[in-house]
């Protein structure tokens, strides 16, 4: 039996992962309705590194130790510099998978926001893949995905951020919880300005998908969390405004008090002058 959905926004942390790469101006174009495809020149230099191609057996370990590369398996890796950008990650994923493969779920989330490399290669396909790629199995989802939900990044076909969030929410509850996928989904929403309302609207189109009920529970939890954050920000804003009003009133009161004190100090001197005159 599956566990119950989340209900307490204040008990769950949605801070984006530390490994999430910042979005550059070029990356931000992918938030547009029809973002431009990346050019072949954007992929230059994004290559996989194989242990056998290095000058010595210790070179691979040294590059790992200095964090110049990120290990895929015991024999291959990719450059950390390439993994720090959206286009670099798209090129890395495209070079590991068959041409024309459609990437979704955790693999798509890694391309969009980075972080730890996924444990599986999630593809949209009706085929069954038995061979592992770089020590990771290929997980196929036999789903019909609307063409509007997929974008092509050079050779890589990938679900857009909004659809990727919904696909992550549709994964089984245990997998989401064990792999920290709710945080990944929320980080994806945060980075690409996706609202829970947009996700719920798309989920309405996918209502016959398996786990759609639990996916809706997660997205509604996100929505409650967003409302909670909005209320807290509004409360903080009102509190700050009240503090500013109190400060201004205190300054005015101090000015009046100082003026009154000066007047009281001057009046005895004037009386003495009048008496002497």
């Amino acid at each position: 039996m599956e566990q119950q959905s989340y209900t307490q926004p204040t008990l769950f942390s949605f801070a984006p992962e530390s490994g999430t790469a910042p979005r550059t101006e070029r990356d931000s174009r992918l938030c547009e309705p029809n973002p431009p495809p990346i050019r072949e020149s954007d992929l230059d230099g994004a290559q996989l590194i194989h242990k056998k191609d290095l000058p010595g057996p210790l070179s691979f370990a040294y590059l790992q130790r200095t964090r110049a590369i990120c290990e895929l398996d015991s024999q291959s890796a990719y450059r950390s510099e390439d993994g720090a950008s959206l286009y670099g990650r798209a090129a890395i994923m495209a070079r590991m998978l068959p041409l024309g493969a459609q990437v979704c779920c955790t693999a798509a989330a890694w391309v969009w926001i980075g972080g730890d490399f996924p444990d599986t290669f999630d593809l949209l396909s009706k085929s069954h893949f038995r061979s592992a790629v770089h020590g990771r199995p290929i997980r196929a989802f036999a789903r019909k995905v609307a063409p509007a939900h997929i974008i092509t990044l050079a050779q890589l076909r990938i679900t857009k951020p909004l659809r990727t969030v919904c696909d992550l929410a549709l994964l089984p509850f245990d997998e989401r919880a064990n792999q920290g996928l709710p945080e990944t989904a929320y980080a994806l929403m945060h980075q690409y300005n996706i609202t829970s309302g947009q996700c719920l609207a798309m989920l309405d189109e996918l209502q016959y998908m398996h786990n759609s009920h639990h996916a809706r529970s997660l997205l509604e939890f996100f929505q409650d969390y967003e409302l909670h954050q909005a209320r807290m920000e509004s409360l903080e804003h009102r509190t700050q405004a009240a503090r500013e009003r109190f400060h201004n009133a205190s300054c005015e009161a101090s000015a009046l008090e100082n003026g009154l004190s000066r007047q009281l100090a001057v009046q005895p001197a004037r009386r003495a002058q009048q008496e002497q005159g």
Side-chain angles (χ1 to χ4, degrees):
M1 180 179 296
E2 297 187 352
Q3 303 179 33
Q4 295 297 320
S5 58
Y6 302 103
T7 56
Q8 296 295 332
T10 57
L11 300 180
F12 202 86
S13 174
F14 287 114
E17 298 180 13
S18 58
T20 300
R23 185 175 57 183
T24 64
E25 181 179 354
R26 183 174 62 174
D27 293 349
S28 65
R29 293 182 302 172
L30 293 170
C31 298
E32 301 171 3
N34 297 299
I38 71 174
R39 300 164 297 185
E40 294 296 330
S41 59
D42 292 323
L43 304 180
D44 294 342
Q47 299 288 342
L48 297 181
I49 298 174
H50 299 281
K51 192 174 185 178
K52 62 180 181 179
D53 297 330
L54 296 175
L58 298 179
S59 300
F60 194 80
Y62 174 76
L63 292 175
Q64 279 186 285
R65 190 166 58 252
T66 58
R67 298 184 179 181
I69 62 174
C70 296
E71 183 183 10
L72 289 170
D73 55 29
S74 60
Q75 300 297 322
S76 59
Y78 60 88
R79 295 192 309 172
S80 300
E81 181 181 0
D82 295 332
S85 70
L86 171 63
Y87 290 94
R89 293 190 295 273
I92 292 168
M93 189 65 71
R95 284 185 166 87
M96 288 190 286
L97 298 175
L99 185 64
Q102 299 184 15
V103 179
C104 64
C105 290
T106 59
W110 179 79
V111 173
W112 289 119
I113 63 175
D116 296 333
F117 199 84
D119 295 331
T120 60
F121 290 97
D122 295 338
L123 303 181
L124 295 171
S125 175
K126 295 182 180 179
S127 302
H128 295 281
F129 300 90
R130 296 182 180 179
S131 299
V133 178
H134 295 286
R136 291 169 171 80
I138 295 178
R139 181 169 57 172
F141 292 86
R143 295 174 177 173
K144 291 183 179 181
V145 178
H149 297 172
I150 296 178
I151 183 175
T152 301
L153 304 181
Q155 302 95 338
L156 184 67
R157 291 178 57 77
I158 180 174
T159 53
K160 291 183 177 180
L162 177 57
R163 177 58 192 255
T164 302
V165 171
C166 292
D167 287 341
L168 291 175
L170 286 166
L171 290 174
F173 181 91
D174 291 341
E175 180 179 353
R176 294 200 321 245
N178 294 336
Q179 298 186 18
L181 296 183
E183 290 89 344
T184 301
Y186 195 81
L188 184 59
M189 294 169 62
H190 175 77
Q191 183 154 335
Y192 289 95
N193 302 320
I194 300 170
T195 66
S196 300
Q198 291 174 312
C199 296
L200 288 169
M202 177 170 286
L203 197 62
D204 288 338
E205 303 175 11
L206 311 173
Q207 58 182 332
Y208 297 110
M209 298 288 291
H210 184 61
N211 288 332
S212 60
H213 173 73
H214 296 284
R216 175 171 291 278
S217 297
L218 178 64
L219 294 173
E220 288 175 348
F221 170 65
F222 286 165
Q223 191 172 51
D224 292 341
Y225 180 80
E226 291 171 354
L227 293 174
H228 172 74
Q229 289 294 94
R231 286 195 295 268
M232 294 300 294
E233 291 175 1
S234 177
L235 178 60
E236 183 178 355
H237 177 74
R238 292 197 301 269
T239 302
Q240 183 62 28
R243 288 174 180 169
E244 292 178 358
R245 290 194 298 270
F246 178 78
H247 177 72
N248 294 335
S250 299
C251 292
E252 293 177 1
S254 298
L256 291 173
E257 183 178 358
N258 293 335
L260 181 60
S261 299
R262 287 195 298 269
Q263 291 179 4
L264 293 175
V266 169
Q267 287 179 358
R270 289 180 177 175
R271 291 196 190 95
Q273 291 178 358
Q274 292 175 356
E275 292 175 356
Q276 291 177 0

mmCIF file with all atom_site columns, all heavy atoms in Angstrom, residues 140-155:
data_model
loop_
_atom_site.group_PDB
_atom_site.id
_atom_site.type_symbol
_atom_site.label_atom_id
_atom_site.label_alt_id
_atom_site.label_comp_id
_atom_site.label_asym_id
_atom_site.label_entity_id
_atom_site.label_seq_id
_atom_site.pdbx_PDB_ins_code
_atom_site.Cartn_x
_atom_site.Cartn_y
_atom_site.Cartn_z
_atom_site.occupancy
_atom_site.B_iso_or_equiv
_atom_site.pdbx_formal_charge
_atom_site.auth_seq_id
_atom_site.auth_comp_id
_atom_site.auth_asym_id
_atom_site.auth_atom_id
_atom_site.pdbx_PDB_model_num
ATOM 1   N N   . ALA A 1 140 ? 12.498 2.406  -20.016 1.00 0.00 ? 140 ALA A N   1
ATOM 2   C CA  . ALA A 1 140 ? 11.631 2.878  -21.105 1.00 0.00 ? 140 ALA A CA  1
ATOM 3   C C   . ALA A 1 140 ? 10.213 3.115  -20.592 1.00 0.00 ? 140 ALA A C   1
ATOM 4   O O   . ALA A 1 140 ? 9.662  2.315  -19.833 1.00 0.00 ? 140 ALA A O   1
ATOM 5   C CB  . ALA A 1 140 ? 11.608 1.868  -22.238 1.00 0.00 ? 140 ALA A CB  1
ATOM 6   N N   . PHE A 1 141 ? 9.646  4.248  -21.005 1.00 0.00 ? 141 PHE A N   1
ATOM 7   C CA  . PHE A 1 141 ? 8.257  4.590  -20.684 1.00 0.00 ? 141 PHE A CA  1
ATOM 8   C C   . PHE A 1 141 ? 7.467  4.595  -21.991 1.00 0.00 ? 141 PHE A C   1
ATOM 9   O O   . PHE A 1 141 ? 7.738  5.412  -22.878 1.00 0.00 ? 141 PHE A O   1
ATOM 10  C CB  . PHE A 1 141 ? 8.173  5.966  -20.021 1.00 0.00 ? 141 PHE A CB  1
ATOM 11  C CG  . PHE A 1 141 ? 8.778  6.026  -18.649 1.00 0.00 ? 141 PHE A CG  1
ATOM 12  C CD1 . PHE A 1 141 ? 10.140 6.264  -18.490 1.00 0.00 ? 141 PHE A CD1 1
ATOM 13  C CD2 . PHE A 1 141 ? 8.003  5.844  -17.511 1.00 0.00 ? 141 PHE A CD2 1
ATOM 14  C CE1 . PHE A 1 141 ? 10.711 6.323  -17.231 1.00 0.00 ? 141 PHE A CE1 1
ATOM 15  C CE2 . PHE A 1 141 ? 8.558  5.893  -16.249 1.00 0.00 ? 141 PHE A CE2 1
ATOM 16  C CZ  . PHE A 1 141 ? 9.918  6.134  -16.109 1.00 0.00 ? 141 PHE A CZ  1
ATOM 17  N N   . ALA A 1 142 ? 6.522  3.679  -22.109 1.00 0.00 ? 142 ALA A N   1
ATOM 18  C CA  . ALA A 1 142 ? 5.705  3.583  -23.317 1.00 0.00 ? 142 ALA A CA  1
ATOM 19  C C   . ALA A 1 142 ? 4.548  4.577  -23.213 1.00 0.00 ? 142 ALA A C   1
ATOM 20  O O   . ALA A 1 142 ? 3.389  4.193  -22.992 1.00 0.00 ? 142 ALA A O   1
ATOM 21  C CB  . ALA A 1 142 ? 5.198  2.161  -23.503 1.00 0.00 ? 142 ALA A CB  1
ATOM 22  N N   . ARG A 1 143 ? 4.866  5.840  -23.345 1.00 0.00 ? 143 ARG A N   1
ATOM 23  C CA  . ARG A 1 143 ? 3.846  6.895  -23.225 1.00 0.00 ? 143 ARG A CA  1
ATOM 24  C C   . ARG A 1 143 ? 3.740  7.668  -24.534 1.00 0.00 ? 143 ARG A C   1
ATOM 25  O O   . ARG A 1 143 ? 4.733  7.839  -25.245 1.00 0.00 ? 143 ARG A O   1
ATOM 26  C CB  . ARG A 1 143 ? 4.216  7.876  -22.117 1.00 0.00 ? 143 ARG A CB  1
ATOM 27  C CG  . ARG A 1 143 ? 4.236  7.286  -20.726 1.00 0.00 ? 143 ARG A CG  1
ATOM 28  C CD  . ARG A 1 143 ? 4.750  8.294  -19.726 1.00 0.00 ? 143 ARG A CD  1
ATOM 29  N NE  . ARG A 1 143 ? 4.726  7.776  -18.364 1.00 0.00 ? 143 ARG A NE  1
ATOM 30  C CZ  . ARG A 1 143 ? 5.257  8.408  -17.319 1.00 0.00 ? 143 ARG A CZ  1
ATOM 31  N NH1 . ARG A 1 143 ? 5.847  9.574  -17.488 1.00 0.00 ? 143 ARG A NH1 1
ATOM 32  N NH2 . ARG A 1 143 ? 5.201  7.864  -16.122 1.00 0.00 ? 143 ARG A NH2 1
ATOM 33  N N   . LYS A 1 144 ? 2.538  8.118  -24.817 1.00 0.00 ? 144 LYS A N   1
ATOM 34  C CA  . LYS A 1 144 ? 2.336  9.026  -25.936 1.00 0.00 ? 144 LYS A CA  1
ATOM 35  C C   . LYS A 1 144 ? 2.449  10.452 -25.414 1.00 0.00 ? 144 LYS A C   1
ATOM 36  O O   . LYS A 1 144 ? 1.614  10.899 -24.633 1.00 0.00 ? 144 LYS A O   1
ATOM 37  C CB  . LYS A 1 144 ? 0.965  8.787  -26.578 1.00 0.00 ? 144 LYS A CB  1
ATOM 38  C CG  . LYS A 1 144 ? 0.841  7.462  -27.295 1.00 0.00 ? 144 LYS A CG  1
ATOM 39  C CD  . LYS A 1 144 ? -0.512 7.338  -27.972 1.00 0.00 ? 144 LYS A CD  1
ATOM 40  C CE  . LYS A 1 144 ? -0.628 6.019  -28.724 1.00 0.00 ? 144 LYS A CE  1
ATOM 41  N NZ  . LYS A 1 144 ? -1.955 5.888  -29.410 1.00 0.00 ? 144 LYS A NZ  1
ATOM 42  N N   . VAL A 1 145 ? 3.466  11.128 -25.843 1.00 0.00 ? 145 VAL A N   1
ATOM 43  C CA  . VAL A 1 145 ? 3.717  12.499 -25.392 1.00 0.00 ? 145 VAL A CA  1
ATOM 44  C C   . VAL A 1 145 ? 3.469  13.444 -26.557 1.00 0.00 ? 145 VAL A C   1
ATOM 45  O O   . VAL A 1 145 ? 3.975  13.226 -27.669 1.00 0.00 ? 145 VAL A O   1
ATOM 46  C CB  . VAL A 1 145 ? 5.163  12.653 -24.876 1.00 0.00 ? 145 VAL A CB  1
ATOM 47  C CG1 . VAL A 1 145 ? 5.435  14.080 -24.464 1.00 0.00 ? 145 VAL A CG1 1
ATOM 48  C CG2 . VAL A 1 145 ? 5.396  11.702 -23.697 1.00 0.00 ? 145 VAL A CG2 1
ATOM 49  N N   . ALA A 1 146 ? 2.694  14.475 -26.308 1.00 0.00 ? 146 ALA A N   1
ATOM 50  C CA  . ALA A 1 146 ? 2.379  15.443 -27.353 1.00 0.00 ? 146 ALA A CA  1
ATOM 51  C C   . ALA A 1 146 ? 3.655  16.106 -27.864 1.00 0.00 ? 146 ALA A C   1
ATOM 52  O O   . ALA A 1 146 ? 4.564  16.400 -27.081 1.00 0.00 ? 146 ALA A O   1
ATOM 53  C CB  . ALA A 1 146 ? 1.421  16.496 -26.813 1.00 0.00 ? 146 ALA A CB  1
ATOM 54  N N   . PRO A 1 147 ? 3.761  16.332 -29.162 1.00 0.00 ? 147 PRO A N   1
ATOM 55  C CA  . PRO A 1 147 ? 4.961  16.984 -29.711 1.00 0.00 ? 147 PRO A CA  1
ATOM 56  C C   . PRO A 1 147 ? 5.250  18.339 -29.058 1.00 0.00 ? 147 PRO A C   1
ATOM 57  O O   . PRO A 1 147 ? 6.415  18.737 -28.967 1.00 0.00 ? 147 PRO A O   1
ATOM 58  C CB  . PRO A 1 147 ? 4.625  17.135 -31.201 1.00 0.00 ? 147 PRO A CB  1
ATOM 59  C CG  . PRO A 1 147 ? 3.613  16.073 -31.477 1.00 0.00 ? 147 PRO A CG  1
ATOM 60  C CD  . PRO A 1 147 ? 2.811  15.944 -30.219 1.00 0.00 ? 147 PRO A CD  1
ATOM 61  N N   . ALA A 1 148 ? 4.200  19.021 -28.598 1.00 0.00 ? 148 ALA A N   1
ATOM 62  C CA  . ALA A 1 148 ? 4.412  20.325 -27.963 1.00 0.00 ? 148 ALA A CA  1
ATOM 63  C C   . ALA A 1 148 ? 5.134  20.204 -26.629 1.00 0.00 ? 148 ALA A C   1
ATOM 64  O O   . ALA A 1 148 ? 5.632  21.205 -26.107 1.00 0.00 ? 148 ALA A O   1
ATOM 65  C CB  . ALA A 1 148 ? 3.067  21.024 -27.753 1.00 0.00 ? 148 ALA A CB  1
ATOM 66  N N   . HIS A 1 149 ? 5.195  18.994 -26.066 1.00 0.00 ? 149 HIS A N   1
ATOM 67  C CA  . HIS A 1 149 ? 5.851  18.792 -24.777 1.00 0.00 ? 149 HIS A CA  1
ATOM 68  C C   . HIS A 1 149 ? 7.314  18.399 -24.925 1.00 0.00 ? 149 HIS A C   1
ATOM 69  O O   . HIS A 1 149 ? 7.985  18.157 -23.923 1.00 0.00 ? 149 HIS A O   1
ATOM 70  C CB  . HIS A 1 149 ? 5.131  17.702 -23.976 1.00 0.00 ? 149 HIS A CB  1
ATOM 71  C CG  . HIS A 1 149 ? 3.735  18.057 -23.626 1.00 0.00 ? 149 HIS A CG  1
ATOM 72  N ND1 . HIS A 1 149 ? 2.850  17.153 -23.045 1.00 0.00 ? 149 HIS A ND1 1
ATOM 73  C CD2 . HIS A 1 149 ? 3.038  19.216 -23.766 1.00 0.00 ? 149 HIS A CD2 1
ATOM 74  C CE1 . HIS A 1 149 ? 1.681  17.743 -22.848 1.00 0.00 ? 149 HIS A CE1 1
ATOM 75  N NE2 . HIS A 1 149 ? 1.771  18.984 -23.294 1.00 0.00 ? 149 HIS A NE2 1
ATOM 76  N N   . ILE A 1 150 ? 7.811  18.328 -26.154 1.00 0.00 ? 150 ILE A N   1
ATOM 77  C CA  . ILE A 1 150 ? 9.179  17.880 -26.409 1.00 0.00 ? 150 ILE A CA  1
ATOM 78  C C   . ILE A 1 150 ? 9.921  18.949 -27.194 1.00 0.00 ? 150 ILE A C   1
ATOM 79  O O   . ILE A 1 150 ? 9.363  19.603 -28.078 1.00 0.00 ? 150 ILE A O   1
ATOM 80  C CB  . ILE A 1 150 ? 9.189  16.547 -27.177 1.00 0.00 ? 150 ILE A CB  1
ATOM 81  C CG1 . ILE A 1 150 ? 8.566  15.443 -26.319 1.00 0.00 ? 150 ILE A CG1 1
ATOM 82  C CG2 . ILE A 1 150 ? 10.607 16.146 -27.571 1.00 0.00 ? 150 ILE A CG2 1
ATOM 83  C CD1 . ILE A 1 150 ? 8.481  14.101 -27.002 1.00 0.00 ? 150 ILE A CD1 1
ATOM 84  N N   . ILE A 1 151 ? 11.167 19.126 -26.863 1.00 0.00 ? 151 ILE A N   1
ATOM 85  C CA  . ILE A 1 151 ? 12.026 20.075 -27.564 1.00 0.00 ? 151 ILE A CA  1
ATOM 86  C C   . ILE A 1 151 ? 13.287 19.339 -27.993 1.00 0.00 ? 151 ILE A C   1
ATOM 87  O O   . ILE A 1 151 ? 13.702 18.374 -27.345 1.00 0.00 ? 151 ILE A O   1
ATOM 88  C CB  . ILE A 1 151 ? 12.388 21.278 -26.662 1.00 0.00 ? 151 ILE A CB  1
ATOM 89  C CG1 . ILE A 1 151 ? 13.226 22.301 -27.427 1.00 0.00 ? 151 ILE A CG1 1
ATOM 90  C CG2 . ILE A 1 151 ? 13.117 20.840 -25.409 1.00 0.00 ? 151 ILE A CG2 1
ATOM 91  C CD1 . ILE A 1 151 ? 13.506 23.565 -26.633 1.00 0.00 ? 151 ILE A CD1 1
ATOM 92  N N   . THR A 1 152 ? 13.880 19.772 -29.091 1.00 0.00 ? 152 THR A N   1
ATOM 93  C CA  . THR A 1 152 ? 15.110 19.171 -29.590 1.00 0.00 ? 152 THR A CA  1
ATOM 94  C C   . THR A 1 152 ? 16.286 20.083 -29.281 1.00 0.00 ? 152 THR A C   1
ATOM 95  O O   . THR A 1 152 ? 16.307 21.244 -29.690 1.00 0.00 ? 152 THR A O   1
ATOM 96  C CB  . THR A 1 152 ? 15.031 18.931 -31.109 1.00 0.00 ? 152 THR A CB  1
ATOM 97  O OG1 . THR A 1 152 ? 13.930 18.063 -31.388 1.00 0.00 ? 152 THR A OG1 1
ATOM 98  C CG2 . THR A 1 152 ? 16.310 18.297 -31.617 1.00 0.00 ? 152 THR A CG2 1
ATOM 99  N N   . LEU A 1 153 ? 17.242 19.562 -28.529 1.00 0.00 ? 153 LEU A N   1
ATOM 100 C CA  . LEU A 1 153 ? 18.490 20.273 -28.259 1.00 0.00 ? 153 LEU A CA  1
ATOM 101 C C   . LEU A 1 153 ? 19.574 19.592 -29.068 1.00 0.00 ? 153 LEU A C   1
ATOM 102 O O   . LEU A 1 153 ? 20.138 18.580 -28.644 1.00 0.00 ? 153 LEU A O   1
ATOM 103 C CB  . LEU A 1 153 ? 18.841 20.237 -26.770 1.00 0.00 ? 153 LEU A CB  1
ATOM 104 C CG  . LEU A 1 153 ? 17.797 20.771 -25.785 1.00 0.00 ? 153 LEU A CG  1
ATOM 105 C CD1 . LEU A 1 153 ? 18.313 20.692 -24.373 1.00 0.00 ? 153 LEU A CD1 1
ATOM 106 C CD2 . LEU A 1 153 ? 17.420 22.192 -26.126 1.00 0.00 ? 153 LEU A CD2 1
ATOM 107 N N   . ALA A 1 154 ? 19.822 20.119 -30.275 1.00 0.00 ? 154 ALA A N   1
ATOM 108 C CA  . ALA A 1 154 ? 20.732 19.470 -31.217 1.00 0.00 ? 154 ALA A CA  1
ATOM 109 C C   . ALA A 1 154 ? 20.258 18.035 -31.456 1.00 0.00 ? 154 ALA A C   1
ATOM 110 O O   . ALA A 1 154 ? 19.136 17.815 -31.866 1.00 0.00 ? 154 ALA A O   1
ATOM 111 C CB  . ALA A 1 154 ? 22.164 19.511 -30.705 1.00 0.00 ? 154 ALA A CB  1
ATOM 112 N N   . GLN A 1 155 ? 21.084 17.015 -31.130 1.00 0.00 ? 155 GLN A N   1
ATOM 113 C CA  . GLN A 1 155 ? 20.663 15.634 -31.363 1.00 0.00 ? 155 GLN A CA  1
ATOM 114 C C   . GLN A 1 155 ? 19.734 15.108 -30.273 1.00 0.00 ? 155 GLN A C   1
ATOM 115 O O   . GLN A 1 155 ? 19.138 14.037 -30.433 1.00 0.00 ? 155 GLN A O   1
ATOM 116 C CB  . GLN A 1 155 ? 21.890 14.709 -31.425 1.00 0.00 ? 155 GLN A CB  1
ATOM 117 C CG  . GLN A 1 155 ? 22.898 15.080 -32.500 1.00 0.00 ? 155 GLN A CG  1
ATOM 118 C CD  . GLN A 1 155 ? 24.013 15.953 -31.941 1.00 0.00 ? 155 GLN A CD  1
ATOM 119 O OE1 . GLN A 1 155 ? 23.846 16.598 -30.907 1.00 0.00 ? 155 GLN A OE1 1
ATOM 120 N NE2 . GLN A 1 155 ? 25.125 15.974 -32.636 1.00 0.00 ? 155 GLN A NE2 1
#
